[in-house]
């Protein structure tokens, strides 16, 4: 696996073309929070998008946090319209497995969400989390407000210092405004709140040993996502 040649990041010209409409269903409500998955949400709701490798474990981190209204698994940062899981996993859409976080800014702050982001995955391994390898597993943050942008820059700078203090590699996380990378495409029904449906399902996320800071897990200790078949 580790010796194989990874396909390059596609361009708008080389990415899969996608389709005009969604090819699958998406549930109306969040299985854990019982809130609308695609809105509408209460007035004032803010949305932040993050990518941390496999979206199953990443989504669970955020639906447990105070102030979060809803979360959803999806695909973002690429070119293919209405992509499927199989297309995204091929590495030919340009998307990374992402999580939508809709939150109440009166009950939480982007800094708290980003603290959980930095502390629960390895943002120093380009296009890789554990044995999940490819551009579809890249670490990313896509912000939607100036406050979020400032929080991204501040927390990244603080985390970079912690990495340097432990003599660890630099951050490779893609950090861009959501308006620049395009639409968040919802993933298929069975990916939404996957670890609520399958409590013993595959997850390679969790506290990593540093504080707004990341304790790097040994990359050879984790199973590959492609070895874990999604439910039928």
């Amino acid at each position: 696996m580790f010796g194989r040649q990874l396909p390059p990041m596609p361009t708008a010209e080389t990415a899969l073309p996608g389709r005009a409409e969604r090819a699958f269903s998406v549930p109306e409500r969040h299985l854990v929070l019982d809130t609308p998955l695609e809105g509408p949400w209460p007035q004032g709701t803010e949305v932040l998008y993050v990518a941390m490798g496999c979206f199953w474990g990443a989504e669970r981190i955020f639906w447990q946090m105070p102030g979060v209204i809803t979360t959803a698994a999806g695909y973002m940062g690429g070119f293919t319209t209405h992509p499927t899981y199989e297309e995204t996993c091929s590495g030919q859409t340009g998307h990374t497995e992402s999580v939508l976080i809709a939150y109440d800014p009166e009950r939480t702050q982007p800094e708290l969400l980003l603290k959980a982001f930095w502390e629960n995955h390895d943002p120093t391994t380009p296009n890789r989390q554990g044995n999940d390898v490819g551009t579809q597993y890249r670490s990313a943050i896509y912000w939607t407000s100036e406050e979020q942008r400032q929080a991204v820059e501040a927390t990244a700078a603080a985390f970079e210092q912690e990495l340097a203090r432990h003599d660890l590699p630099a951050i490779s996380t893609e950090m861009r405004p959501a308006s620049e990378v395009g639409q968040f495409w919802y993933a298929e029904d069975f990916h939404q709140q996957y670890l609520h449906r399958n409590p013993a399902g595959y997850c390679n996320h969790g506290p990593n040993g540093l504080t707004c800071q990341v304790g790097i897990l040994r990359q050879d200790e984790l199973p590959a996502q492609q070895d874990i078949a999604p439910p039928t």
Side-chain angles (χ1 to χ4, degrees):
M1 172 177 183
F2 297 106
R4 77 176 190 269
Q5 184 70 33
L6 295 178
M9 178 75 171
T11 65
E13 290 72 31
T14 62
L16 295 175
R19 51 196 56 80
E21 296 181 355
R22 186 185 287 163
F24 47 80
S25 64
V26 172
E28 291 186 3
R29 302 191 72 79
H30 196 285
L31 285 175
V32 179
L33 301 176
D34 193 29
T35 51
L37 213 65
E38 299 187 80
W41 302 307
Q43 185 174 1
T45 297
E46 299 282 346
V47 177
L48 176 69
Y49 304 96
V50 299
M52 306 164 64
C54 175
F55 47 26
W56 294 342
E59 188 194 6
R60 180 170 63 180
I61 291 167
F62 295 102
W63 82 51
Q64 299 180 87
M65 295 185 68
V68 171
I69 294 169
T70 203
T71 60
Y75 315 111
M76 198 172 183
F79 307 101
T80 301
T81 55
H82 295 289
T84 67
Y85 179 69
E86 290 75 16
E87 289 170 343
T88 301
C89 284
S90 76
Q92 297 180 68
T93 70
H95 297 297
T96 183
E97 291 193 15
S98 305
V99 174
L100 174 154
I101 310 164
Y103 65 94
D104 181 350
E106 298 297 322
R107 297 178 55 214
T108 191
Q109 301 172 343
E111 289 85 353
L112 296 177
L113 301 174
L114 291 165
K115 175 179 172 65
F117 170 85
W118 296 118
E119 293 181 355
N120 284 279
H121 83 300
D122 183 351
T124 74
T125 50
N127 302 325
R128 179 178 182 180
Q129 287 297 310
N131 289 350
D132 294 335
V133 181
T135 56
Q136 67 270 30
Y137 302 115
R138 69 186 182 272
S139 172
I141 307 169
Y142 304 129
W143 62 80
T144 63
S145 70
E146 175 62 18
E147 180 186 15
Q148 290 177 5
R149 183 193 66 79
Q150 293 177 5
V152 169
E153 293 182 354
T155 57
F159 189 68
E160 195 78 78
Q161 291 181 3
E162 185 69 4
L163 289 170
R165 186 169 73 85
H166 288 272
D167 197 27
L168 293 168
I171 289 170
S172 64
T173 301
E174 178 186 6
M175 294 176 274
R176 301 166 66 189
S179 59
E180 183 178 299
V181 302
Q183 187 166 340
F184 172 87
W185 305 100
Y186 283 80
E188 293 85 336
D189 187 342
F190 57 75
H191 291 302
Q192 305 301 337
Q193 298 84 67
Y194 176 86
L195 291 178
H196 176 72
R197 303 169 189 255
N198 304 274
Y202 167 65
C203 174
N204 69 347
H205 294 89
N208 43 40
L210 302 179
T211 306
C212 193
Q213 306 157 236
V214 111
I216 308 305
L217 297 171
R218 280 182 51 192
Q219 298 293 334
D220 59 358
E221 293 182 336
L222 299 171
Q225 182 179 346
Q226 51 264 45
D227 294 337
I228 311 295
T232 57

